[in-house]
Every structure is written in structure tokens, then in C-alpha cells.
Amino acid sequence: MSELYFMTTITNRSRAKKFIELYQKHGVDVTFSTLGDGTAVSETLDSLGLEQAEKVIIFSIVTRTTWKKIKASLEKDIKIDVPGTGIAFLIPLSSIGGKKPLFFLTEHQNFEKGEESSLKDTKYELLIVIANQGYTDLIMDAARGEDAAGGTVIHAKGTGMARAEKFLGVSLVNEKEIVLIVVKTEMKNRIMKAIMDKAGLDSKAHSIVFSLPVTSTAGMRLMEEAAEEPDT
């Protein structure tokens, strides 16, 4: 079985197109990119050979086999090991909400679905919801209905959206919002289901939702205390 990962790439804005084209060459047709700014001090930038330039963050779903091919191409064709070129890294993916979104995100990667993966003793998971722009409230209302706390919204642009009608039966716009919600692991499935039911592909939000394991946290005390309060 090919395991799934959330691949994150950070590079300068001027290089982003080359990265996306390389990913498409290896069958990663759906990517989501957003702008960011570096925070490193000048001494760190100088030591790494980096420029104080606007960054692009690219998110993709890849299998282990696809990643091996991409990593080799990044090293050979883009020279990613040269300081200042960029970085790419993987985070294990634990689940994706629904078969259609799964096939949409992995079409050309020969993915074989197996058991849902998980890391042992993970108390929290990060839900990532990708939706059409303007429907954050709908998503958060669905999540809060199952006792989720607040979320964080990132504005992004998607590539490969023209393929959505083939897999999802809907047309997706390029302008996207990515909503990040940290939830307790035992709450994950019902919150994901609520989002899919109320803000999923059958809604105007056309949301896709998946989860990532969180191995350590800080600042989650208030969420834990709220969960422990008895119902009145």
C-alpha cells in the first residue's frame, strides 16, 4: 500500500512555478499555494544563502512512492540542496473525508487505499479543510456544532481545479480558503463528518477535509479544561 503524506514546500515566489511544474510532471496535479513572509534575521539568512523575499508555500498530497521520485528530481533538476532554493518536507496523513476527494487528490499516483493510518498516543489531530472562498463561517458552524474550538484561515490558490468535475461532480474555483482546526483525536471523526455533511461537496462551500496527526502541543490547556467540564 502507498502511504499518504501532506507535502509542504517553501520557496521564493520567483521559483514557485518551477516547483509546481515538477510536481505535475510526477502526477501531483492538485496543489494549493499561498504567500508568506520569512521571519529569519539577516544573520541567519546570510548563513543559509537566503534572500529576504516573499515566499510561496505549496501544499500537496503525495504517496511515499511519488515522494521518492519528487525528492530525486528536486535534488537533480531544481538543485534544492543549494542554499536559498527552498525546502520540502512531509507530514503523515491520517485520513481523508470521502472517496471522491481521495481519488481527486491522488489521481495519477497509483494510490492503493488501505487501513487508516495513525500514530500511537496522539492526543490531538489537525483538520485541514479546503473550500471555496467565502464559506469559512459555514465550515466553523459545522465544526463548532460538534464541540470544536476556533480555526485559522489561510487564503490560497489551487491548481488542477478543472479536473474536479470529473472526480467530484462539481466545478471548483481556483480561489480557496484553507481552514486549520486542532481537535482532540476522539472528536476527529464526528467533526469531519459534520463538515462533510453541512459544508461538503453538496454545499456551496465544496469542502475537502483531511487530518494530520499532532504529536505534541503547547497552549491547549483551555481546550482540555473545557472538554473535562461536566455537562449541566
Side-chain angles (χ1 to χ4, degrees), residues 20 24 28-33 104 157-162 174:
I20 293 173
Q24 290 174 334
V28 183
D29 295 312
V30 180
T31 61
F32 303 94
S33 56
F104 172 60
K157 185 174 182 179
T159 62
M161 298 301 102
N174 288 337

Side-chain angles (χ1 to χ4, degrees), residues 6-224:
F6 187 60
M7 180 175 69
T8 301
T9 308
I10 303 173
T11 187
N12 287 344
R13 189 173 185 178
S14 61
R15 297 187 178 96
K17 185 178 179 181
K18 291 183 179 179
F19 279 84
I20 293 173
E21 289 175 346
L22 183 146
Y23 297 159
Q24 290 174 334
K25 175 183 175 182
H26 289 286
V28 183
D29 295 312
V30 180
T31 61
F32 303 94
S33 56
T34 185
L35 297 179
D37 291 306
T39 59
V41 297
S42 58
E43 291 83 357
T44 303
L45 293 171
D46 291 342
S47 65
L48 297 176
L50 295 172
E51 303 172 1
Q52 185 67 55
E54 192 174 48
K55 304 295 181 185
V56 171
I57 307 166
I58 306 167
F59 304 111
S60 322
I61 305 297
V62 300
T63 65
R64 180 186 292 274
T65 301
T66 299
W67 165 249
K68 289 180 179 179
K69 296 176 182 177
I70 284 176
K71 185 174 184 291
S73 290
L74 288 174
E75 293 170 348
K76 179 181 178 181
D77 301 330
I78 292 188
K79 313 296 183 188
I80 198 169
D81 291 327
V82 175
T85 303
I87 61 172
F89 56 91
L90 299 184
I91 302 171
L93 191 65
S94 57
S95 61
I96 292 180
K99 292 182 179 179
K100 288 182 179 180
L102 171 62
F103 292 139
F104 172 60
L105 294 169
T106 62
E107 179 189 7
H108 293 124
Q109 299 189 56
N110 298 319
F111 175 68
E112 297 179 13
K113 190 177 186 304
E115 294 295 324
E116 181 176 307
S117 63
S118 63
L119 296 180
K120 292 183 178 180
D121 302 322
T122 54
K123 193 171 184 179
Y124 294 93
E125 297 226 4
L126 173 65
L127 300 190
I128 300 181
V129 187
I130 300 172
N132 287 343
Q133 204 168 63
Y135 294 96
T136 302
D137 289 343
L138 181 63
I139 293 164
M140 289 310 304
D141 286 346
R144 289 192 184 101
E146 295 295 336
D147 302 322
T152 301
V153 182
I154 300 172
H155 298 284
K157 185 174 182 179
T159 62
M161 298 301 102
R163 299 166 48 253
E165 194 160 0
K166 170 186 174 184
F167 285 90
L168 309 178
V170 296
S171 296
L172 298 183
V173 296
N174 288 337
E175 298 302 319
K176 295 294 182 185
E177 286 177 342
I178 300 176
V179 184
L180 310 177
I181 310 170
V182 178
V183 302
K184 292 181 75 70
T185 299
E186 63 263 27
M187 300 164 59
K188 178 195 75 172
N189 288 337
R190 57 187 175 88
I191 293 174
M192 288 180 69
K193 185 176 186 303
I195 293 172
M196 289 187 291
D197 288 345
K198 299 178 181 178
L201 296 177
D202 294 329
S203 73
K204 292 183 178 180
H206 294 323
S207 298
I208 295 172
V209 58
F210 51 90
S211 65
L212 305 174
V214 174
T215 57
S216 183
T217 65
M220 306 296 289
R221 180 176 58 83
L222 292 179
M223 182 187 293
E224 292 176 1

